Amino acid sequence: MRSPLTALHVVQPGDGGVARVVTDVIAAQLDLGMRVAVACPPGTPLALAAGARGAEVHPWRAGREPGPRLVAESRRVAALVDLVRPDLVHAHSAKAGLAARIAVRGRIPTVYQPHAWSFEAVDGVTGALARRWERWAARWTDRVICVSEAERRRGEHAGVRAPWSVIHNGVDARRFTAGPGRAAARAALGLPPTAPLVVCVGRLCRQKGQDVLLDAWPAVLARVPDARLVLVGDGPEAEALRTAAAGLCVPAAGFAPAAGFAPAAGFAPAAGFAPDTGPGPRAAAGPRTDTGPGPRPGPRTAAAAGTATASRTAAAPCGAADRTVTFAGAVTDTAPWYRAADLVVQPSRWEGMALAPLEAMAGGRPVLLTDVDGARESLPPGQEAHCLVRPDDPAALADALTALLRRPVLREALGRRAQQHVLRRFDVRRANAALADVYREVTAAPRHRHELGEPISQ
């Protein structure tokens, strides 16, 4: 009788969306009777979840960035390969892809899943080196798995020549379709029962663009003064974001809004909401003109930042910023926060295909996304005009947030259609079945370098 397939997942980071994706993959593979081993930083959410599900968990103390420790990190992967003796190695994200492919060098079938390309995160010499490494390491890769067609096109444009599969991220819809409604979720979380509520779920880091959201927030409050914002997650930018939030200008008592603007009757900030407010911008954009895989917009320039500050000051005098935004921190279950929301926003600077919007849509919530890789593919057809804005543009983000917060009937319609779309196209079982097909193909192939051909559709 043939022994079950053994997969070794090498993963860095051990938290955030990547960890949630890998956790779902591990659970599905264990259900299929596979032997599953995971190498990841110890003590992380992924390490704990993988162990709880019955996977073999091996500590791999790897940082997120390349550096002097890379040699030792690669040697540790090589030692784990000798210990586990897997039929296949599946490396997740750039750092694990770097260390694992150096360690294995094509000796056993190797699958690499970037979860967004590393060269999108950096510019200049570092970005050029990242592209060069991805091109060079493709020789040791039996399959590159991208989570969107846009991510695949970006890799091809960068010169990465490898056999490809595109497998969209999937979500376990049962986690998000069941549970209490909006009012009960807000009561359980201590949130105001009727205030228009925007929720942003994601690691607090430059990639996810929460700084842009904060920069947009005062312009939203100038037009929807009872709006509230919750940032769910933790990360390296947490302190900087809290500091920025505490210094934001928001509409103060006595502020005279523009002619024709009618503030909500009896507006009063909800008690218990912790600070954080942010910036100012522009409305939902039509189709991007830069839909090709060219370079992403870089950090905002000083001039752009100055414009945002000017719009903030013009919108309203400084007031109490500590009652309109809350930092929820890291949570073990994001579903209640989606249920509480009127609108979920993901202002990322780059992605492969973000997981949080799929989760929010599975729960019937409308989403507002920046037009980065995977965003158009995740939205239902026809929602781009309302739900897509340019990245790194706080004015556009503020206008789009305002437009959606002012139209509750439209939000409900967008949310219903989004839920049907996700249930039909982004079920996690479908994604895991496609991944199982990839595993069968690469483990059955002869052990020689693949001829490069057309992308393999999944």
Side-chain angles (χ1 to χ4, degrees), residues 21-402:
V21 168
V22 177
T23 299
D24 286 340
V25 167
I26 289 167
Q29 292 176 347
L30 290 168
D31 288 345
L32 290 173
M34 289 176 55
R35 177 181 169 227
V36 180
V38 182
C40 66
T44 58
L46 174 59
L48 299 175
R53 283 162 175 76
E56 302 172 21
V57 180
H58 300 274
W60 183 51
R61 292 176 173 82
R64 285 178 177 260
E65 306 297 332
R69 295 178 56 199
L70 177 61
V71 173
E73 291 164 350
S74 296
R75 285 175 178 164
R76 173 60 176 159
V77 174
L80 287 174
V81 169
D82 290 340
L83 175 67
V84 174
R85 301 184 65 81
D87 299 295
L88 172 144
V89 170
H90 188 160
H92 298 266
S93 290
K95 179 58 178 294
L98 174 62
R101 286 183 287 179
I102 288 175
V104 175
R105 302 193 181 213
R107 291 182 290 119
I108 59 176
T110 303
V111 171
Y112 170 51
Q113 191 165 351
H115 298 280
W117 294 104
S118 59
F119 48 77
E120 286 212 85
V122 288
D123 297 315
V125 173
T126 307
L129 288 172
R131 282 188 291 274
R132 184 179 300 176
W133 156 252
E134 294 287 5
R135 291 194 294 265
W136 181 67
R139 71 190 68 195
W140 296 325
T141 312
D142 292 80
R143 191 70 58 85
V144 175
I145 295 178
C146 291
V147 294
S148 66
E149 284 288 346
E151 184 184 39
R152 178 189 65 76
R153 289 194 299 268
R154 191 166 296 280
E156 285 190 329
H157 181 80
V160 179
R161 299 277 296 156
W164 305 87
S165 288
V166 174
I167 303 176
H168 289 140
N169 281 333
V171 295
D172 182 354
R174 295 166 296 185
R175 286 184 52 215
F176 304 102
T177 54
R182 183 180 284 111
R186 290 193 183 193
L189 295 170
L191 299 173
T194 59
L197 182 64
V198 177
V199 171
C200 177
V201 174
R203 188 166 183 262
L204 303 185
C205 61
R206 181 176 176 273
Q207 177 192 0
K208 298 300 182 179
Q210 291 96 343
D211 59 318
V212 182
L213 177 57
L214 290 181
D215 206 19
W217 193 242
V220 175
L221 290 174
R223 292 170 282 180
V224 188
D226 53 345
R228 295 292 177 268
L229 173 64
V230 178
L231 302 182
V232 180
D234 201 354
E237 298 299 315
E239 252 343 281
L241 290 169
R242 289 176 187 273
T243 300
L248 289 172
C249 294
V250 300
F255 167 61
F261 173 70
F267 163 65
F273 247 60
D276 216 299
T277 324
R282 220 198 104 178
R288 238 175 53 207
T289 57
D290 63 327
T291 51
R296 284 282 179 223
R300 279 175 291 159
T301 63
T307 300
T309 302
S311 77
R312 194 186 300 150
T313 305
C318 289
D322 62 344
R323 293 180 184 269
T324 64
V325 181
T326 251
F327 287 91
V331 300
T332 55
D333 185 10
T334 55
W337 298 94
Y338 297 131
R339 294 188 193 111
D342 291 301
L343 175 64
V344 174
V345 61
Q346 186 92 51
S348 302
R349 289 183 166 93
W350 69 88
E351 293 283 357
M353 175 180 278
L355 189 63
L358 298 179
E359 294 175 339
M361 289 190 286
R365 295 298 178 260
V367 297
L368 176 60
L369 312 178
T370 45
D371 196 0
V372 295
D373 287 354
R376 288 175 181 266
E377 291 170 59
S378 64
L379 286 173
Q383 289 198 2
E384 296 86 355
H386 299 292
C387 302
L388 208 61
V389 297
R390 287 184 297 274
D392 229 331
D393 187 339
L397 187 61
D399 285 352
L401 285 166
T402 300

Side-chain angles (χ1 to χ4, degrees), residues 9-26:
H9 294 270
V10 183
V11 192
Q12 166 53 272
D15 59 2
V18 173
R20 298 205 301 279
V21 168
V22 177
T23 299
D24 286 340
V25 167
I26 289 167

